Amino acid sequence: MSPLVLVVLLSSLGLGTAMTFASSHWLLAWMGLEINTLAILPLMAQQNHPRAMEATTKYFLIQATAAAMILFASTTNAWASGQWDITYPSHPVTATITMAALAMKIGLAPTHFWLPEVLQGVSLTTGLILSTWQKLAPFALILQVANYTPPYMLTALALCSTLVGGWGGLNQTQLRKILAYSSIAHLGWMILVAQMAPQLTLIALITYIVMTTAAFLTLNNMDATKTATLASSWTKSPTLTAMACLVLLSLGGLPPLTGFLPKWLILQEVTNQGFIPTATVMALSALLSLYFYLRLTYAMSLTLFPHTFNSVTPWRMTAKRPTLLLSTTIIMTTCLLPLTPSALTLLI
């Protein structure tokens, strides 16, 4: 892809997200979401492969359907109340339709079926953008609409997403699908407290973006797309493999890593609100996700790749990639838990 075209597309991504962030009018927010969608499509289709084209088509259809639902709900709300303001209290039916559309946009269960297939069809770099940057604009709207959404809907979406994200990733061997189900599970944790404590949703989103960026960049540096490829990663780069294990355990939410921070705070808030059964189910569902993270860690650190003298030596790195962002995100993924009081002070 031409560098000029790439700059235009990335600038359009930033413009669409900034427009949604800054808008208080539903039409402007909808336009920002559409600019985001149209800018990511050429990046997804640049591989010129049938699987990439299939993923691009699926993504376009899902995003177009969700955008049409948002436009329908906002128009219906304006017809009933005479207001296009996002923060204006809307009718429960239109708020429910809007939340369902935003859940479809980010891949919350039960509207999650497109996310693993789309991530599987694109490159790791494009998958990183889909898993992180493309979540920002919809979450800006979710945090504003959550106050007028029926609370049982948010709880149902959260429980369904964490359970589906845990069960769905158990038997996967494709790393991009595993990260897709990981995304679904983490989104469930974020949406659970969107109405009770929006600042905790923001903390969970930032933590998720940092951890997922570290995971995608690590796999991209290793040229790994399948679980079997991870078995030879220790021979190629022992240090990076050791840090990758810590990144995966942080995604699983094990202390004293950074991934424990949002789960701890969210469980504490849900328990304080009196929703003990919900907190119990969420904590148990985290064990499902932890299993496939441990399975990847086992594949990297406790298995030995079968070496044969007739094959190319697996420890030769084919290319050098920039590692500044990789090292920064790995450090943040593993070492930010002691800064929990500072994060709470800044966001609360």
Side-chain angles (χ1 to χ4, degrees):
M1 181 176 290
S2 169
L4 182 59
V5 175
L6 184 61
V7 168
V8 171
L9 294 177
L10 294 180
S11 301
S12 300
L13 280 176
L15 174 64
T17 304
M19 183 181 295
T20 305
F21 279 176
S23 61
S24 59
H25 196 283
W26 271 115
L27 283 182
L28 288 177
W30 175 80
M31 288 173 59
L33 294 174
E34 288 301 288
I35 291 174
N36 252 355
T37 301
L38 294 176
I40 195 66
L41 293 178
L43 294 175
M44 298 175 63
Q46 66 177 337
Q47 288 182 327
N48 198 20
H49 188 275
R51 183 169 290 178
M53 297 302 172
E54 179 186 351
T56 306
T57 305
K58 289 179 179 178
Y59 184 77
F60 171 74
L61 292 176
I62 290 294
Q63 298 299 313
T65 303
M69 291 175 62
I70 292 174
L71 193 59
F72 169 74
S74 58
T75 306
T76 306
N77 185 62
W79 180 31
S81 63
Q83 293 288 335
W84 285 92
D85 195 346
I86 296 176
T87 58
Y88 186 80
S90 58
H91 193 274
V93 175
T94 58
T96 302
I97 296 174
T98 305
M99 183 59 69
L102 293 172
M104 184 184 297
K105 268 193 168 294
I106 62 177
L108 277 171
T111 58
H112 68 284
F113 296 99
W114 63 271
L115 184 56
E117 300 299 326
V118 168
L119 277 188
Q120 177 61 26
V122 299
S123 64
L124 285 170
T125 306
T126 309
L128 171 60
I129 298 175
L130 285 175
S131 300
T132 56
W133 186 267
Q134 293 297 94
K135 300 279 194 296
L136 295 177
F139 255 102
L141 297 178
I142 285 176
L143 290 177
Q144 299 178 73
V145 177
N147 293 328
Y148 315 114
T149 306
Y152 292 107
M153 180 183 181
L154 296 179
T155 305
L157 287 174
L159 292 175
C160 186
S161 296
T162 52
L163 292 173
V164 167
W167 282 111
L170 290 181
N171 293 326
Q172 299 296 331
T173 58
Q174 298 291 332
L175 297 179
R176 283 167 290 186
K177 282 191 176 182
I178 290 177
L179 289 175
Y181 283 109
S182 169
S183 173
I184 295 169
H186 280 89
L187 291 174
W189 285 88
M190 299 175 209
I191 208 72
L192 179 64
V193 290
Q195 198 171 54
M196 307 175 195
Q199 65 275 6
L200 295 185
T201 299
L202 190 58
I203 290 176
L205 178 61
I206 294 172
T207 308
Y208 163 76
I209 289 176
V210 171
M211 294 187 298
T212 304
T213 302
F216 270 100
L217 291 178
T218 303
L219 297 178
N220 190 35
N221 198 286
M222 293 178 176
D223 288 325
T225 57
K226 295 182 295 185
T227 308
T229 313
L230 296 177
S232 62
S233 60
W234 193 273
T235 311
K236 293 179 181 179
S237 179
T239 305
L240 184 60
T241 304
M243 298 308 296
C245 294
L246 293 178
V247 169
L248 292 173
L249 294 178
S250 182
L251 276 168
L254 283 184
L257 303 172
T258 307
F260 179 64
L261 163 63
K263 289 183 171 60
W264 172 33
L265 295 176
I266 290 173
L267 286 178
Q268 184 181 24
E269 178 66 27
V270 174
T271 305
N272 291 338
Q273 295 289 340
F275 301 105
I276 307 298
T278 302
T280 304
V281 174
M282 295 293 289
L284 292 176
S285 66
L287 298 177
L288 296 173
S289 302
L290 182 60
Y291 171 78
F292 58 77
Y293 293 128
L294 288 174
R295 187 161 59 89
L296 295 180
T297 304
Y298 173 80
M300 281 191 291
S301 59
L302 297 176
T303 58
L304 183 62
F305 187 75
H307 302 293
T308 58
F309 295 100
N310 295 326
S311 62
V312 179
T313 50
W315 54 85
R316 301 293 176 88
M317 300 300 290
T318 57
K320 292 184 178 180
R321 297 183 175 90
T323 57
L324 178 59
L325 181 59
L326 173 60
S327 57
T328 304
T329 51
I330 286 179
I331 292 173
M332 295 175 67
T333 301
T334 55
C335 301
L336 285 186
L337 186 62
L339 298 181
T340 303
S342 301
L344 291 176
T345 304
L346 289 175
L347 295 176
I348 295 179

